[in-house]
């Protein structure tokens, strides 16, 4: 029976669009990273010390999201380990993303297992794993590079104790032990302020900054990946430029640009189109933006979600295409009472409005009303259906969404 599934399978196997879609996936590390030559050189020269069996300085890497920090670091480390093998030097690294491995226990467990220790999922104290790690490292001859990616997540939740310990692990090791160096990566500009001065100075022995990409650079990056990911002739200049321009507006995020191209390709494939067009990119942008809004709204605290509902309700009842802080707050109080939670203050709601503005969910513009002083013109900045669908997931709010007027 030739059914609908057969058709789908055939379409993917004989794709006219993709040659290898994985090349556009966010964790794929390409062989070439255009416009990161400077950063590759800097990271490479710091870590190259390992090839002479000496401890590389600790390295702190920062830059906005999607600027190639993870890709460059892993690229350099892979090359370093290859070279070390050729030279017969013992160099290894362990990569831990502390957003995923979000406790000191998990981080230490990953480091310990990279040097061959077996650590149970739970049951030991972190002090005990640390002690075992130190023991193992004192018998381990060579250089170990520990990469803590998105390290701000760990520090924000658990403080910088572990970081402090790891930057000083050398002092706990007898002479002739492993040489350990630390690479910390973050996209949080305020991260440094969270650190104790001693941690800051030892982690920041060397620092490399990753500036955002501009549209032209994003174009080169996209071409590089697209030429391997797509069938010949499927992508043209206009599509690449359009993706690059959209992503450049979002502070030069290469991940955004690649996502856009991938989703546009998927849309073309689903439509059985012969090539990817600017129209596909436009649709892809809308879908990605919707997914982002859905995700963001789903994880907001209750009062922020109530504030969004209040904004929509206030706008609808006012008959205008905007609402004000005062109106919004009145509706918010009503909704809070309706679901039986205590309302927060107007001051707090005002802060929440600012946060929602930064997330691109509400837009709050200050306008002057002459002798009545200033007020804010608040409008919904995101797709209403998407926002409401995300809020309605919460059973406490479903009823409110359905009877919003
Ligand atoms: N110069 C480049 N050439 C090719 N691909 C790149 C380049 N820079 C980044 N990329 C790709 O863009 C995506 C995002 O890069 P990466 O994951 O390194 O960003 P990041 O700086 O670590 O961001 P975050 O702070 O969000 O973790 C990845 O798929 C990566 O391969
Ligand atoms: Mg990263």
């Amino acid at each position: 029976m030739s059914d609908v599934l057969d058709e789908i399978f055939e379409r993917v196997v004989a794709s006219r669009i993709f040659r290898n879609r994985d090349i556009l996936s966010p964790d794929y590390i390409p062989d070439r990273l255009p416009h990161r030559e400077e950063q590759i050189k800097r990271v490479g020269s710091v870590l190259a010390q390992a090839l002479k069996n000496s401890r590389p300085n600790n390295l702190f890497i920062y830059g906005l999201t999607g600027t190639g920090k993870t890709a460059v670091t892993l690229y350099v480390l892979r090359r370093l380990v290859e070279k070390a093998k050729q030279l017969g030097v013992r160099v290894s690294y362990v990569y831990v993303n502390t957003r995923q491995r979000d406790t000191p226990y998990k981080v230490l467990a990953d480091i310990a297992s990279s040097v061959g220790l077996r650590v149970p999922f739970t049951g030991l104290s972190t002090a005990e794993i640390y002690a075992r790690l130190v023991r193992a490292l004192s018998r381990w001859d060579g250089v170990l590079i520990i990469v803590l990616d998105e390290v701000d997540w760990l520090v924000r939740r658990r403080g910088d104790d572990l970081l402090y310990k790891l930057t000083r692990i050398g002092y706990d090791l007898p002479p002739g032990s492993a040489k350990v160096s630390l690479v910390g990566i973050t996209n949080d500009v305020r991260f440094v302020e969270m650190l104790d001065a001693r941690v800051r100075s030892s982690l920041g022995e060397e620092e490399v900054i990753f500036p955002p990409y501009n549209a032209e650079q994003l174009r080169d990056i996209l071409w590089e990946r697209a030429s391997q990911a797509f069938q010949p002739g499927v992508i043209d200049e206009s599509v690449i430029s359009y993706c690059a321009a959209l992503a450049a507006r979002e502070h030069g995020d290469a991940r955004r640009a690649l996502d856009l191209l991938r989703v546009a390709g998927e849309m073309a494939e689903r439509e059985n189109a012969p090539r990817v067009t600017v129209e596909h990119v436009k649709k892809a942008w809308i879908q990605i933006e919707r997914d982002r809004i859905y995700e963001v709204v789903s994880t907001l605290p209750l009062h922020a979600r109530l504030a969004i509902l209040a904004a929509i309700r206030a706008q609808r009842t006012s008959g205008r295409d905007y609402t004000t802080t005062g109106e919004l707050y009145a509706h918010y109080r009503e909704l809070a009472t309706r679901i039986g939670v205590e309302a927060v203050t107007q001051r707090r709601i005002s802060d929440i409005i600012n946060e929602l503005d930064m997330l691109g969910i509400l837009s709050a513009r200050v306008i002057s009303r002459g002798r009545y002083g200033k007020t804010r013109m608040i409008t919904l900045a995101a797709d209403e259906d998407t926002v409401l669908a995300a809020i309605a997931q919460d059973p406490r709010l479903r009823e409110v969404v359905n009877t919003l007027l």
Side-chain angles (χ1 to χ4, degrees), residues 219 237-247 260 278 281-282 285:
R219 232 163 31 217
E237 181 63 45
S238 63
V239 166
I240 297 282
S241 298
Y242 196 68
C243 290
L246 287 179
L260 203 52
V278 167
V281 180
K282 284 184 185 161
W285 176 263

Side-chain angles (χ1 to χ4, degrees), residues 25-26 28 30 32-34 36 64-71 150 187 213 221 225 254-255 258:
S25 106
Y28 178 83
R32 277 168 35 88
L33 294 155
R36 280 300 172 248
L64 292 178
T65 188
T67 51
K69 300 180 298 297
T70 302
E150 309 202 43
N187 58 27
Y213 296 113
I221 291 170
R225 301 280 278 264
R255 187 182 296 113
L258 286 163

Side-chain angles (χ1 to χ4, degrees), residues 34-35 215-225 240 244:
H35 304 294
E216 209 172 309
Q217 294 171 328
L218 286 172
R219 232 163 31 217
D220 294 338
I221 291 170
L222 287 174
W223 267 127
E224 182 75 28
R225 301 280 278 264
I240 297 282

Side-chain angles (χ1 to χ4, degrees), residues 73-92:
T73 306
L74 289 175
Y75 171 79
V76 171
L77 283 166
R78 284 178 194 178
R79 294 282 306 273
L80 182 79
V81 167
E82 247 171 60
K83 185 72 184 178
K85 263 196 201 123
Q86 284 170 19
L87 296 172
V89 196
R90 193 162 176 195
V91 177
S92 43

